[in-house]
Amino acid sequence: MKPVKKKKTEEPELEPLCCCEYIDRNGEKNHVAACLCDCQDLDEGCDRWITCKSLQPETCERIMDTISDRLRIPWLRGAKKVNISIIPPLVLLPVFLHVASWHFLLGVVVLTSLPVLALWYYYLTHRRKEQTLFFLSLGLFSLGYMYYVFLQEVVPKGRVGPVQLAVLTCGLFLILLALYRAKKNPGYLNPASSDRALSSSQLELLNRKGQEKMKGFPGTDTSGSLNNRTAKDDPRGSSRMPAGSPTKAKEDWCAKCQLVRPARAWHCRICGICVRRMDHHCVWINSCVGESNHQAFILALLIFLLTSVYGITLTLDTICRDRSIFTALFYCPGVYANYSSALSFTCVWYSVIITAGMAYIFLIQLINISYNVTEREVQQALRQKTGRRLLCGLIVDTGQYNRGFLRNWHQFSTLGTRAFHHPAEDIV
C-alpha cells in the first residue's frame, strides 16, 4: 500500500495591524492605549523609591526598555516606535533657554550646566557603546529653534535686511544638505560582497603556514604575529611584511565582521561594522566618519561655523547697537530689561558655546588632514606612546602616512572618488 501523504499544516496568516497596534519586544500583539497596563517593573521601582530603597541597575534597565518599547505613535500598518533619546532636547532646550532669560545669574548657571550635562550623557553612552539620537536631535532642534527665535525676536526690530535674512536662510539649508550627505554610508565594509573576506578554515591555514615560514623573521614574536609598531631607529625591524602575507591577514582579520580589512579600516563598536579609513564615530550625526563621508563632514562643519558666526553678528548688532561684536558679548547694558532682547542674548551665548565646540573639532580635523592621520590613529598613537607630539599634544604625527602638506590634502580631496594606491610601506 502506498503511504498516505500528510497534508502540510498551513500556518495561519497574521492579521494586519491597525494604526494603533504593534508587536512588542515579547513578540505579542499590543495596543498603544494599553501603554500603562502591565507595568510590574515600573510599579516595583515606584514602591522602592517611595520606601527609600535603592533600585538595582537591572530593574532600571528593564524599566527603560519597557518605556522605550511602548513609546509609539500611530502609523499605517502598525504603530511606529519612537526613540526616547530624541525627546529630551525637544522639551528641555526651550525650557532652559527661557529660564536663563529671566536673570543674568540664571543665565550663567543654565549655560554652564548645559555643556556639563551634554558631556556627562556623552560619556555615559560612549562607555556603554550605545547608539543614541540625543545629539543629532539636539543639533537639529538647536538649528531650528535658533532660527525661530531669530525670526520672532530679531527680524521684527528692523535691523536685518531681506538680503541678510536670505543669506542666513541659505546657510541653514546648506547645513542640512551637508548633514544629509554626511549621514550617508561612510564606507562600510560588506562581508558578503567583500572580495577580501576569508573563511575561518582559510585563515587558520594561512596562519599555520605563516608561523612555519616566518620563524626567526625580524619584527615577529613567538606566535608569528607582527609587533604593533616598529620604531624607525631600530635597524633590526626595518624590514616589513609583504602585503599578502598570512600574518598580515591575521592582523587585519575582523572576527565580528568575518572579513580582512584593508589598510586604515577599523571596526566601530557602536555601529557594529568595519569602516574604510575610519576617522571616528560622531555622535552629532549618529554615524561614523570614514572614507566616503569625511569630505561632507568637513563641509558641514565649515558651513555651520560661517552661518553661526554670521547669525551671532546680526543678532548682537540688533540688540546691542553701536558696539563691537566682542564687546557686546560681555557688556551689553540693558539687555535684560526687555524679555525679547534677553532671550535673544541668551540664544547668542548658547550659539557661541556650540560654535566654540565645533570650531575645536574643525581645527583638530584640519590638523589631522594636514598630517594625513585619522582620529582613530591618533588615539592609538597616544595609547601606545608612539609618534611625534607637538603643541602639547594638539598635533600628533605618526609619520606613517604623512607625504607632505599638499599631497596629504590632495589625497583627502580624492577620498571616495577612486581607489587610492598606498605605497608598500603604508600597509599596516
Side-chain angles (χ1 to χ4, degrees):
M1 296 182 62
K2 295 181 180 180
V4 180
K5 295 182 179 180
K6 296 183 179 180
K7 294 183 178 180
K8 295 182 179 179
T9 57
E10 297 182 356
E11 297 181 357
E13 295 183 359
L14 295 176
E15 298 181 1
L17 299 174
C18 76
C19 62
C20 295
E21 294 178 333
Y22 64 94
I23 304 299
D24 61 14
R25 57 184 180 139
N26 298 323
E28 299 177 356
K29 196 174 183 179
N30 212 329
H31 199 278
V32 174
C35 61
L36 298 179
C37 302
D38 244 354
C39 302
Q40 291 87 356
D41 294 328
L42 185 59
D43 294 339
E44 179 186 354
C46 292
D47 291 339
R48 296 184 69 87
W49 180 73
I50 293 174
T51 56
C52 299
K53 294 181 181 178
S54 60
L55 283 174
Q56 296 182 355
E58 296 80 6
T59 305
C60 296
E61 291 181 2
R62 289 199 303 269
I63 292 174
M64 293 304 299
D65 291 341
T66 303
I67 293 176
S68 62
D69 183 55
R70 298 185 180 185
L71 186 63
R72 296 174 182 262
I73 57 175
W75 203 259
L76 298 176
R77 299 180 181 178
K80 294 293 183 181
K81 188 176 180 180
V82 179
N83 196 312
I84 195 173
S85 61
I86 69 176
I87 298 178
L90 307 182
V91 178
L92 297 179
L93 182 62
V95 172
F96 282 162
L97 291 180
H98 279 278
V99 170
S101 305
W102 292 348
H103 195 270
F104 170 75
L105 295 179
L106 283 174
V108 172
V109 173
V110 171
L111 293 176
T112 305
S113 61
L114 280 177
V116 175
L117 291 175
L119 287 174
W120 170 79
Y121 186 77
Y122 168 74
Y123 284 112
L124 180 65
T125 55
H126 189 71
R127 187 174 65 249
R128 295 181 178 179
K129 306 299 178 185
E130 297 176 352
Q131 280 193 332
T132 176
L133 293 176
F134 176 85
F135 294 96
L136 179 61
S137 173
L138 177 62
L140 294 178
F141 185 67
S142 297
L143 285 174
Y145 191 71
M146 294 302 104
Y147 186 69
Y148 170 78
V149 172
F150 185 82
L151 294 179
Q152 293 293 320
E153 308 295 344
V154 180
V155 174
K157 296 183 185 298
R159 297 276 293 184
V160 179
V163 177
Q164 295 170 320
L165 180 60
V167 171
L168 188 66
T169 305
C170 289
L172 180 63
F173 279 105
L174 289 176
I175 293 173
L176 297 178
L177 185 62
L179 285 176
Y180 173 76
R181 178 63 186 85
K183 276 284 293 177
K184 285 190 173 182
N185 188 349
Y188 293 131
L189 288 171
N190 189 2
S193 61
S194 177
D195 57 350
R196 302 188 64 183
L198 298 176
S199 64
S200 58
S201 59
Q202 289 175 325
L203 184 65
E204 184 180 356
L205 180 61
L206 285 176
N207 290 334
R208 188 163 54 248
K209 290 182 178 179
Q211 290 178 6
E212 294 175 358
K213 293 180 180 180
M214 305 308 295
K215 284 183 179 180
F217 194 92
T220 57
D221 53 16
T222 56
S223 62
S225 62
L226 279 171
N227 294 328
N228 292 331
R229 191 178 296 270
T230 306
K232 291 184 178 181
D233 298 334
D234 188 2
R236 296 175 301 173
S238 58
S239 301
R240 290 180 180 268
M241 288 293 179
S245 66
T247 311
K248 170 68 170 57
K250 180 180 179 181
E251 281 194 341
D252 289 345
W253 173 256
C254 180
K256 294 184 178 180
C257 296
Q258 296 294 300
L259 54 80
V260 177
R261 295 182 297 230
R264 311 188 77 177
W266 298 93
H267 182 86
C268 178
R269 290 178 290 180
I270 298 178
C271 295
I273 195 170
C274 289
V275 181
R276 294 182 183 273
R277 198 186 177 277
M278 176 180 171
D279 188 83
H280 68 287
H281 181 90
C282 181
V283 295
W284 293 104
I285 62 175
N286 192 35
S287 177
C288 288
V289 177
E291 183 180 79
S292 301
N293 68 341
H294 202 169
Q295 297 172 349
F297 178 74
I298 295 296
L299 183 62
L301 283 176
L302 177 61
I303 298 175
F304 170 79
L305 292 176
L306 295 177
T307 306
S308 180
V309 170
Y310 187 64
I312 291 171
T313 303
L314 292 178
T315 306
L316 289 178
D317 184 64
T318 301
I319 62 178
C320 300
R321 302 181 182 181
D322 302 328
R323 293 184 183 276
S324 64
I325 303 302
F326 186 78
T327 305
L329 271 176
F330 298 95
Y331 183 69
C332 186
V335 70
Y336 283 93
N338 184 5
Y339 184 77
S340 175
S341 61
L343 179 61
S344 302
F345 189 71
T346 303
C347 291
V348 163
W349 262 105
Y350 174 75
S351 302
V352 168
I353 294 173
I354 299 296
T355 304
M358 295 301 162
Y360 174 76
I361 297 176
F362 186 66
L363 175 63
I364 295 298
Q365 287 292 313
L366 294 182
I367 293 174
N368 289 347
I369 295 170
S370 300
Y371 283 87
N372 200 359
V373 294
T374 62
E375 188 63 26
R376 181 66 177 80
E377 293 165 353
V378 168
Q379 297 300 325
Q380 186 184 37
L382 292 177
R383 284 196 299 268
Q384 297 179 353
K385 298 180 179 180
T386 57
R388 292 189 304 135
R389 300 183 61 183
L390 306 173
L391 295 180
C392 300
L394 185 65
I395 302 175
V396 178
D397 181 18
T398 61
Q400 191 170 7
Y401 302 100
N402 190 358
R403 297 294 176 265
F405 181 82
L406 294 180
R407 292 185 63 184
N408 292 339
W409 274 96
H410 174 70
Q411 179 185 348
F412 176 77
S413 64
T414 58
L415 284 179
T417 57
R418 61 184 177 87
F420 188 83
H421 176 71
H422 296 281
E425 63 268 17
D426 282 356
I427 298 176
V428 181

